[in-house]
């Protein structure tokens, strides 16, 4: 059993897809752009909110309205990130059980730092000790760069020994590889098994209790 668990957030601990899709489509509507289905947004997520909006906005960053639309998305999402977002079934109980066993728990995400910390504080105040989000202004590059993982380990005061990364996407697999950590891939998130296998996933769990 591992002693340190570094979790991805969206698609791993929290089902955030509804609120992300709502914020994307609100921003697109406000700027007169076509909206996307929730399945479209599912495919767009995983590389941070800027990349999410680059994929959602026609012509991406080449669109002259990109920055304004992105700003609208950020403002709306920060105000509505808790509208429908919930932990996946079994996640709170699994985190509590790991904590009881003396495990150290952290979250690393490509969400904005403020949103990452707000969501972890709201949903997991007694279990997640450290939450690290996107913050390149502080020299913390977004995943798959290993910066968020190394920052989390440093803030926990632990090394990589007996640590594992838990995520749901190809980005998470690459983050674990660059961090030098083994990876457990969950099957309830934003990517399906075939996609994950194609990107190198080897160890799967289909329910949170299987982490115990």
């Amino acid at each position: 059993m591992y002693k340190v668990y570094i979790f991805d957030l969206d698609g791993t601990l929290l089902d955030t897809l509804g609120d992300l899709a709502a914020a994307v489509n609100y921003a697109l509507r406000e700027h007169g752009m076509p909206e996307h289905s929730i399945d479209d947004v599912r495919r767009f997520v995983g590389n941070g909110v800027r990349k999410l909006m680059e994929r959602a906005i026609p012509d991406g960053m080449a669109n002259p309205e990109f920055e304004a639309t992105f700003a609208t998305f950020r403002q709306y999402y920060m105000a509505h990130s808790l509208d429908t977002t919930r932990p996946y079934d079994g996640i709170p109980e699994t985190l509590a059980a790991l904590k009881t066993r003396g495990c150290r728990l952290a979250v690393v995400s490509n969400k904005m730092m403020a949103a990452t910390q707000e969501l972890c504080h709201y949903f997991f105040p007694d279990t997640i000790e450290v939450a690290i989000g996107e913050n390149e202004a502080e020299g913390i590059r977004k995943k798959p760069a290993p910066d968020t993982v190394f920052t989390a380990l440093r803030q926990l005061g632990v090394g990589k020994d007996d640590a594992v990364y838990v995520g749901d996407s190809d980005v998470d697999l690459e983050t674990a590889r660059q961090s030098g950590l083994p990876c457990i891939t969950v099957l309830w998130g934003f990517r399906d098994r075939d996609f994950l296998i194609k990107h190198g996933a080897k160890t799967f769990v289909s329910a949170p209790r299987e982490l115990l």
Side-chain angles (χ1 to χ4, degrees):
M1 180 169 172
Y2 298 101
K3 296 179 180 177
V4 180
Y5 287 77
I6 307 295
F7 291 96
D8 171 56
L9 187 60
D10 296 45
T12 301
L13 299 183
L14 294 179
D15 184 356
T16 57
L17 189 59
D19 287 336
L20 285 168
V24 167
N25 285 328
Y26 174 83
L28 295 173
R29 282 196 307 274
E30 288 293 295
H31 294 271
M33 299 176 187
E35 298 180 38
H36 290 284
S37 71
I38 197 160
D39 283 337
D40 287 339
V41 177
R42 184 190 303 275
R43 292 193 298 271
F44 296 161
V45 297
N47 296 88
V49 291
R50 191 173 185 87
K51 180 61 72 172
L52 165 62
M53 292 306 292
E54 183 180 341
R55 292 165 174 161
I57 293 170
D59 298 323
M61 293 181 66
N63 191 310
E65 287 292 307
F66 176 85
E67 293 297 342
T69 309
F70 180 47
T72 300
F73 164 84
R74 288 173 63 102
Q75 183 178 24
Y76 184 91
Y77 185 69
M78 286 304 298
H80 294 273
S81 63
L82 296 174
D83 286 2
T84 64
T85 289
R86 296 291 182 274
Y88 289 101
D89 290 345
I91 285 294
E93 296 83 359
T94 297
L95 296 181
L98 289 171
K99 189 77 170 179
T100 297
R101 296 179 184 186
C103 298
R104 309 294 301 278
L105 310 179
V107 160
V108 296
S109 176
N110 274 345
K111 298 178 83 67
M112 297 168 283
M113 179 72 82
T116 300
Q117 294 182 339
E118 177 186 2
L119 288 167
C120 288
H121 179 73
Y122 184 83
F123 287 111
F124 313 118
D126 300 320
T127 50
I128 297 298
E129 299 177 60
V130 170
I132 306 296
E134 180 181 358
N135 192 3
E136 294 193 11
E138 297 295 325
I140 302 173
R141 295 172 297 167
K142 68 182 181 181
K143 301 185 294 183
D147 302 28
T148 54
V149 173
F150 293 159
T151 301
L153 292 171
R154 185 168 61 251
Q155 290 191 14
L156 286 172
V158 299
K160 293 193 294 184
D161 293 344
D162 299 316
V164 66
Y165 187 100
V166 183
D168 75 305
S169 73
D170 53 320
V171 174
D172 293 316
L173 288 160
E174 180 61 18
T175 302
R177 189 192 69 78
Q178 292 196 29
S179 303
L181 297 182
C183 187
I184 297 173
T185 303
V186 309
L187 291 174
W188 56 80
F190 297 163
R191 302 288 187 265
D192 63 36
R193 187 186 187 103
D194 288 344
F195 176 92
L196 294 164
I197 289 173
K198 288 177 182 177
H199 286 83
K202 293 180 172 59
T203 303
F204 296 96
V205 290
S206 57
R209 65 181 177 274
E210 295 175 20
L211 291 168
L212 299 174

